[in-house]
Amino acid sequence: MPVGTVISRRTAAVLILILLGGIALAWVFLGSGGPMEVEAARITRGALEVALPVEGIFETRAVELAFEIPGRLAAVSVAEGDAVFAGQRLAWLETAELAAAVEQAAAAAQAARSEVARAGAAVEAARQQAVQAQAAYGAALANLRQLRAGARVEELRQAEAAAAAAASALEQARRNLATTEQLFSQGAVAQSQVDAARAQYQTAEAQYRQAAAQLQAVRAGARPEAVEAAEQQAAQARAAAQAARVNIGQAEAVLQAARANALQTEATLRAARARMARAYLTAPFDGVVSRIFLTAGSPVGPGVPVITLVSREGWVTAEVDESDIDEVRLGQQARITADAYPGLTLTGRVTRIGSAVEIRGGTRIVRVRVDPDRPSGMRAGTSVDVSIIRSRLPGVLLVPIDAVQPGEDGLHYVFVVEAGLLRRRQIRLGERNEVAAEVVAGLREGDLVALGDPAALQEGMRVRVRLAP
């Protein structure tokens, strides 16, 4: 191979390497001097929520359901994960013996109620008998008093009048008989007329004797044997009235005993029904079945957990630093988010502020309860972020918090995009939250500020803007 040819090839290789290096340098030079793409946002006006960010735990009501009586598990009507409502039957024991006890107690209670009804009727009958006996006693006593007092003036006058009337009728009959006999002796009347007049006379005479006897009896008063008989009747009537009153007391005692027995049987029935009710497990609140421990057919003892039920509603227990607790008030609104539930944001209110300071991990905190406005479906124990809204500032100039850079001098700065170049500008901030801050001075509405890593941004850097969503 000729020497000149070899030199020429080496020279060509060197030239190629020099050319490639030049191209690389040119690429590096051109690349580093071109505009860098940055994400930017415009300064706008809007409402700023000033919040106190704290951490918390989502808690919920949970209960382990167990029977209060022993037995054998007959059925479980739900499965783990099922949603249930308050009062829903979830599981129950075999109830044959309990049902028989309820029926027996119900029959005894019904019999006791019937006995009360019968005893009540007996009391009413005894009272009526007492009334009648008392009335009979009163009548007998009145009769006795009348006999002892003798005839009344009206009775005596009536007897005298009757006797006078009978005497007058007798005198009239006597005259009529005498006249008729005289006429018969003269042949003016028949014998039959004389007989009729005599019969009339005899009748009037008998009536007169009766009236006279009656008048004599009235004037003489009651006989001793009649008064004695009336006294005996009054004594018997009084004894009957007293006996009737005693019967009332006895009947009322029977009624009271029947009522007491009825109350006892009713109590026994309620106890049997209550024991029957304890054979069923029902949901004490709306919730979700978290765990089932036993299956049908298993023997169960009192207090042995069968089902765990958790509420679908819950609350957040937030831990607020002791130095911030003065900013928390009852009724304040709050936002609740959780890493375990991305995209879910709940609203709620502060419903309770702890009265004691606790030490957690060397930090002095106060427990604050926040109740969400709606059920969340979060699992108990979920870690959450809570923003307790302290105030809302409407119509303020807002800058994204990602655009703000703290300076070593305690001031704040942003990079403003002007004519494709970054310009570092000092700003003054007011209130802020975890997303945006109020601009008091240094920016105007419509300004474009760069976002992102402050170390990658420099004064005078050429940039190409990509607006943040």
Side-chain angles (χ1 to χ4, degrees), residues 36-400:
M36 185 181 69
E37 183 179 270
V38 296
E39 189 175 23
R42 291 198 179 278
I43 302 300
T44 59
R45 286 191 178 275
L48 178 68
E49 285 187 347
V50 182
L52 175 64
V54 295
E55 295 180 349
I57 299 294
F58 182 80
E59 299 183 33
T60 188
R61 181 182 177 187
V63 62
E64 288 186 342
L65 302 178
F67 292 103
E68 300 178 9
I69 58 175
R72 186 173 297 279
L73 189 60
V76 178
S77 62
V78 293
E80 293 183 356
D82 283 356
V84 299
F85 56 86
Q88 179 178 343
R89 283 184 176 178
L90 308 180
W92 52 89
L93 301 174
E94 294 177 353
T95 58
E97 293 183 2
L98 298 174
V102 170
E103 291 179 359
Q104 184 177 3
Q110 179 60 38
R113 287 193 290 270
S114 299
E115 184 59 29
V116 169
R118 286 193 293 271
V123 169
E124 185 62 26
R127 288 173 178 170
Q128 292 179 358
Q129 290 176 357
V131 171
Q132 294 173 355
Q134 186 64 31
Y137 173 61
L141 195 60
N143 181 52
L144 175 59
R145 288 171 180 169
Q146 183 177 0
L147 290 177
R148 285 175 176 174
R152 293 176 297 179
V153 177
E154 293 80 5
E155 293 175 344
L156 180 59
R157 289 177 178 175
Q158 290 177 358
E160 289 175 348
S168 178
L170 177 62
E171 179 61 22
Q172 182 63 30
R174 188 186 63 78
R175 291 176 182 173
N176 184 46
L177 175 60
T179 300
T180 302
E181 287 177 343
Q182 184 178 0
L183 292 175
F184 177 73
S185 63
Q186 295 174 357
V189 296
Q191 179 63 38
S192 59
Q193 290 177 313
V194 175
D195 294 339
R198 184 174 293 109
Q200 184 179 6
Y201 171 77
Q202 292 174 348
T203 299
E205 186 180 26
Q207 291 176 346
Y208 171 74
R209 285 198 294 270
Q210 182 177 1
Q214 181 66 25
L215 176 60
Q216 184 178 2
V218 171
R219 287 175 175 172
R223 293 175 298 175
E225 55 273 20
V227 174
E228 183 178 359
E231 289 175 345
Q232 293 178 355
Q233 291 177 354
Q236 293 174 355
R238 181 178 60 183
Q242 292 175 346
R245 288 194 292 271
V246 172
N247 289 337
I248 292 176
Q250 293 175 348
E252 289 177 342
V254 172
L255 176 59
Q256 186 174 2
R259 286 173 174 170
N261 182 58
L263 291 176
Q264 183 176 1
T265 56
E266 291 291 345
T268 302
L269 177 58
R270 288 195 298 272
R273 286 173 174 169
R275 189 173 179 82
M276 182 75 172
R278 288 197 289 271
Y280 295 87
L281 287 184
T282 58
F285 50 81
D286 295 345
V288 177
V289 176
S290 174
R291 187 175 179 183
I292 297 176
F293 297 95
L294 300 175
T295 58
S298 302
V300 185
V304 175
V306 179
I307 293 174
T308 298
L309 183 66
V310 295
S311 174
R312 288 179 292 182
E313 300 180 354
W315 63 92
V316 170
T317 299
E319 297 181 350
V320 179
D321 193 275
E322 178 188 18
S323 60
D324 297 328
I325 195 61
D326 286 343
E327 300 179 13
V328 181
R329 299 286 184 274
L330 290 175
Q332 277 181 316
Q333 289 187 337
R335 286 193 308 276
I336 305 167
T337 58
D339 293 340
Y341 297 88
L344 175 63
T345 300
L346 300 175
T347 59
R349 290 185 180 276
V350 175
T351 58
R352 189 180 304 169
I353 300 174
S355 58
V357 176
E358 303 177 20
I359 299 177
R360 292 291 181 86
T363 304
R364 299 174 67 83
I365 59 98
V366 177
R367 293 161 62 89
V368 173
R369 173 167 169 162
V370 178
D371 284 348
D373 294 335
R374 60 183 175 85
S376 64
M378 288 186 182
R379 296 179 179 83
T382 299
S383 298
V384 298
D385 296 319
V386 182
S387 295
I388 300 175
I389 309 302
R390 294 188 301 164
S391 62
R392 283 187 172 84
L393 304 177
V396 299
L397 206 59
L398 298 175
V399 60

